[in-house]
Amino acid sequence: MLTTRLPHRVEPYRLAARAERLEGLMALDLFARLAEEVGAQSGDVRVTLDFAIDAQGRREIRGHLEAELQLPCRRCLSPLAQPVESEFLLGMVTSDALAAELPSTHEPVLVEDEQLNLLTVVEDELILSLPQVVYHDEVDCKVSRDQLTSGEDAEASREPAASPFDVLRHLKGKP
């Protein structure tokens, strides 16, 4: 069982030069932007980061993360356990100009003062890995399909819509 806590900041160029691997946990309650998106989380995200220098001399980070998040159901807004997993390849850069030179297989990650904030990197990947829509199964959801529509809207949709050209007909004086 993995129990090692990852540091919040690392020196990625040094880790890449040694082809090191970081593997460990980060607490989900550290991620403020994730909490804004989907609500407060508890537990940990499991992260594996392989730092390396590729054949073209680019410093890169191959990563994998997995977590179980409590995401709000779009029907009833109750939390629903949802596994989230991501594989990513990051190219280390020190400027936007260098980021433009990366191949399309790499996502740029900005390294400032030879330091990399792992909290930001992991949080970005978690947010990018969120599913678009989360629903309970209909039988498990507190809100039924009938509760999602009001009777007035349902009856209005049954009536045929008026032609948008009726207004023009009346303006031209034709009945």
Side-chain angles (χ1 to χ4, degrees):
M1 184 173 169
L2 192 61
T3 59
T4 305
R5 293 280 169 195
L6 289 180
H8 295 189
R9 297 186 79 72
V10 295
E11 294 179 7
Y13 292 119
R14 184 177 297 173
L15 293 170
R18 295 187 204 149
E20 293 211 25
R21 169 180 265 210
L22 294 181
E23 195 169 359
L25 304 172
M26 294 184 110
L28 287 169
D29 60 5
L30 295 173
F31 305 123
R33 288 181 296 133
L34 180 67
E36 287 174 16
E37 284 287 320
V38 295
Q41 300 292 316
S42 61
D44 295 310
V45 57
R46 290 167 294 292
V47 182
T48 303
L49 301 170
D50 291 309
F51 294 80
I53 301 174
D54 70 5
Q56 288 75 33
R58 289 185 292 263
R59 278 117 177 113
E60 64 182 23
I61 305 169
R62 289 188 183 276
H64 175 84
L65 62 83
E66 53 188 64
E68 185 165 297
L69 302 178
Q70 295 295 319
L71 303 178
C73 169
R74 296 294 179 187
R75 271 190 284 242
C76 68
L77 300 179
S78 297
L80 170 65
Q82 191 74 30
V84 174
E85 193 169 346
S86 175
E87 297 275 340
F88 51 93
L89 178 59
L90 306 173
M92 295 182 239
V93 296
T94 54
S95 69
D96 289 337
L98 291 173
E101 295 175 11
L102 283 175
S104 63
T105 56
H106 291 65
E107 288 294 322
V109 63
L110 188 61
V111 178
E112 297 172 322
D113 300 324
E114 300 207 10
Q115 294 283 313
L116 180 63
N117 185 337
L118 284 185
L119 280 175
T120 303
V121 170
V122 171
E123 185 174 31
D124 288 346
E125 290 303 322
L126 273 172
I127 291 171
L128 290 170
S129 301
L130 291 174
Q132 290 291 322
V133 200
V134 177
Y135 292 110
H136 285 106
D137 288 334
E138 268 192 63
V139 293
D140 298 329
C141 198
K142 296 175 185 174
V143 177
S144 71
R145 184 178 298 212
D146 297 335
Q147 290 173 312
L148 294 176
T149 60
S150 68
E152 294 172 14
D153 291 340
E155 287 180 23
S157 66
R158 287 188 200 127
E159 297 174 12
S163 170
F165 299 106
D166 285 344
V167 173
L168 292 175
R169 243 184 250 124
H170 290 299
L171 288 175
K172 290 179 107 180
K174 295 181 180 178

